[in-house]
Every structure is written in structure tokens, then in C-alpha cells.
Amino acid sequence: MITIIAAIGQNNELGKNNDLIWHLPADLKRFKKVTSGHHILMGRNTFESIGKPLPNRTTIIITRNNSYFKDGCLIANSIEDALELANKEEHVFIIGGAEIYKQTIALNLADKLDITIVHDTFDADVFFPEIDPNVWVEISRENFKSDEKNKFDYSFVSYERKK
């Protein structure tokens, strides 16, 4: 199972200046719970914005730079190579960034989308691809109101590829 996991604004905003554009502790907590114990695949820029391998996960960094190295991480030169490194893993998560999401969707590699929708609009310079209703069907949605820890209303939405 290959799952794309992302948090996006109402207009598919992902981030700005290689960083998140909101702070949503509930999303971070859910991300940790869902991805712990699994392989996570990400582009080099996303890894650099995080700064280190995430605990209790196998980190695979996708980069075109053949000499790139980070302690505690696996390195791949393409999404296909990254998936080959994780081929024995039952559940793999694609965690970004925008270009990796775009390629994964264009290549029809993902089985599921696990999306946090932040119900607001943001100034962004990178965006998540449009979720095509001809390809993806919503299978679950949990809606939440803002609170003292989470400044925005948000929803956890899961999609599966149509059969």
C-alpha cells in the first residue's frame, strides 16, 4: 500500500519558502501516529526542511544528486528507486514535497491519499495537485473545529483510487 500523506489549505496550498504555512498540532500528532513504524519517502528539500530522520521510521530521500548522503537515511534517485528500496514494506508513505506528490500521482503509484484539509486560504509558493474525482473516491472524513491548540478548522480526509 502506497499512501500520499499531506496537509493542504483550501486552495491546495502546501507551503512557502520550504516550510509549513500553519501550525496544527493535531495534524502533526496524527502524522506521527500514522507513519510511525513505516518507510517514509520524501524529496531532498522536504528532508532539509525537517532537518533530520524522523524517529521510528525509515527515511528514504529522493534526490537527483548522486553524491548526496545523510546519516541514518536511505538515498534514491527516483520515486521508482525509492519504492524499490521499500519493496518489502507493507505500507509506504509519500510525505512530500510538491514535486514528489505530482510525480507520484502522475505515475499512478499511490493507492491512497491521506489528506488534512486546513479550512483557510494561505499565501503559498507550492501546491498539492488537484484531487481528480474521476480517479479518487473519498472513503472517510473527520471534521474538527479550531481550539486553543489548533488555530484553524480542519478535516482528516482519506481517498482511495477508484477500481
Side-chain angles (χ1 to χ4, degrees), residues 4 6 26 35 37 41 43 52 57-58 72 81 83 95 105-107 109 114 144 157:
I4 289 175
T35 62
L41 282 57
K52 63 181 193 267
R57 284 157 273 205
T58 301
D81 290 346
L83 291 171
I95 71 164
I105 289 172
L107 294 169
L109 297 174
D114 198 345
F144 300 91
V157 185

Side-chain angles (χ1 to χ4, degrees), residues 112-126:
K112 185 177 175 188
L113 305 177
D114 198 345
I115 307 295
T116 298
I117 300 172
V118 183
H119 298 288
D120 208 332
T121 58
F122 302 89
D123 181 27
D125 58 13
V126 289

Side-chain angles (χ1 to χ4, degrees), residues 4-161:
I4 289 175
I5 188 166
I8 64 175
Q10 287 180 172
N11 295 320
N12 291 353
E13 307 97 313
L14 273 172
K16 186 169 182 173
N17 299 324
N18 206 30
D19 205 358
L20 298 175
I21 46 182
W22 52 74
H23 181 66
L24 206 61
D27 177 57
L28 297 174
K29 182 178 180 183
R30 183 170 185 270
F31 174 86
K32 180 179 180 181
K33 177 183 173 196
V34 169
T35 62
S36 282
H38 298 289
H39 284 59
I40 55 173
L41 282 57
M42 69 192 84
R44 183 191 51 78
N45 287 338
T46 298
F47 177 80
E48 296 291 340
S49 74
I50 295 168
K52 63 181 193 267
L54 295 174
N56 197 30
R57 284 157 273 205
T58 301
T59 300
I60 302 175
I61 303 168
I62 303 165
T63 178
R64 291 182 200 96
N65 180 345
N66 290 326
S67 60
Y68 189 82
F69 173 81
K70 284 294 173 182
D71 241 355
C73 300
L74 300 173
I75 308 299
N77 295 121
S78 69
I79 293 167
E80 295 89 345
D81 290 346
L83 291 171
E84 185 63 32
L85 288 172
N87 76 347
K88 302 218 184 325
E89 176 71 21
E90 201 171 300
H91 203 157
V92 176
F93 290 89
I94 310 288
I95 71 164
E99 189 57 34
I100 300 298
Y101 290 141
K102 182 178 167 187
Q103 288 178 31
T104 303
I105 289 172
L107 294 169
N108 295 318
L109 297 174
D111 304 299
K112 185 177 175 188
L113 305 177
D114 198 345
I115 307 295
T116 298
I117 300 172
V118 183
H119 298 288
D120 208 332
T121 58
F122 302 89
D123 181 27
D125 58 13
V126 289
F127 297 85
F128 193 81
E130 288 292 327
I131 298 171
D132 184 346
N134 295 313
V135 176
W136 301 100
V137 60
E138 184 177 315
I139 58 167
S140 69
R141 177 183 292 257
E142 295 176 87
N143 298 313
F144 300 91
K145 293 289 184 191
S146 63
D147 58 30
E148 62 281 348
K149 290 182 180 176
N150 300 280
K151 184 179 172 185
F152 305 99
D153 293 350
Y154 59 97
S155 300
F156 296 144
V157 185
S158 292
Y159 301 85
E160 283 185 353
R161 180 177 295 283

